[in-house]
């Protein structure tokens, strides 16, 4: 019997993603004036593929896609080499980084609120609805 629902696992993975994204954005901001520094970003596509492939799916036709589980990490950090914003070869756009930072903070707060709500529901059940 599973004590917690699958929701806790999904929320935990979301918090891991948000934490990694916070670190990458902070690192980019810290290196805004570093010559030839290339900005990095976190990609979520790997996580989406893993989630889709971990579903239990049955092929009913040979032309349907197969669902195979991969063992790669959930998130990948990639370097953006396609743009240069400064004359010194730096590719950090401080306005974009600050915008991403604010967006990530809102995402993190929403996840924490949802997690608190789930724990409060469990607490309510344990207390017998009192």
């Amino acid at each position: 019997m599973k004590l917690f629902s699958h929701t806790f696992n999904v929320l935990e993975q979301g918090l891991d993603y948000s934490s990694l994204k916070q670190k990458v954005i902070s690192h980019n901001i810290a290196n805004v004036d570093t010559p030839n520094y290339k900005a990095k970003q976190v990609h979520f596509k790997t996580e989406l593929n893993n989630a889709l492939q971990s579903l239990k799916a049955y092929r009913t036709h040979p032309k349907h896609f197969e669902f195979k589980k991969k063992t790669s990490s959930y998130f990948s950090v990639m370097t953006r080499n396609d743009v240069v914003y400064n004359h010194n070869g730096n590719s950090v756009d401080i306005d974009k980084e600050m915008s991403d930072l604010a967006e990530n903070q809102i995402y993190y707060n929403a996840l924490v609120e949802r997690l608190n709500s789930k724990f409060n529901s469990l607490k309510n059940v344990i207390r017998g609805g009192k």
Side-chain angles (χ1 to χ4, degrees):
M1 183 176 127
K2 202 171 186 181
L3 182 61
F4 298 113
S5 69
H6 183 64
T7 307
F8 284 101
N9 293 334
V10 172
L11 291 171
E12 178 186 9
Q13 291 173 1
L15 289 171
D16 289 344
Y17 168 74
S18 182
S19 175
L20 178 61
K21 190 167 183 174
Q22 173 76 20
K23 289 176 188 174
V24 169
I25 293 169
S26 298
H27 192 66
N28 286 344
I29 292 171
N31 287 291
V32 71
D33 292 326
T34 304
N36 297 316
Y37 177 79
K38 302 300 180 202
K40 296 174 177 42
Q41 46 183 181
V42 180
H43 289 279
F44 189 67
K45 187 175 182 182
T46 310
E47 169 61 18
L48 178 62
N49 287 337
N50 284 340
L52 289 174
Q53 292 173 359
S54 67
L55 297 173
K56 294 179 181 176
Y58 301 100
R59 287 178 50 192
T60 56
H61 191 275
K63 291 185 178 182
H64 290 169
F65 289 113
E66 290 187 38
F67 288 84
K68 295 180 182 176
K69 190 168 184 172
K70 292 183 180 178
T71 58
S72 61
S73 65
Y74 290 129
F75 317 109
S76 59
V77 179
M78 306 291 282
T79 303
R80 289 185 294 209
N81 290 322
D82 56 345
V83 293
V84 175
Y85 293 110
N86 299 326
H87 64 284
N88 62 0
N90 189 306
S91 68
V92 176
D93 180 3
I94 192 67
D95 293 329
K96 181 186 179 322
E97 297 299 330
M98 295 305 286
S99 173
D100 288 348
L101 189 65
E103 180 183 335
N104 189 53
Q105 184 64 43
I106 292 168
Y107 176 72
Y108 176 84
N109 288 341
L111 288 173
V112 169
E113 271 186 44
R114 185 67 184 125
L115 197 57
N116 283 335
S117 172
K118 292 295 276 182
F119 279 122
N120 285 334
S121 295
L122 281 174
K123 195 169 25 171
N124 191 27
V125 168
I126 291 169
R127 290 182 181 161
K130 297 178 185 177

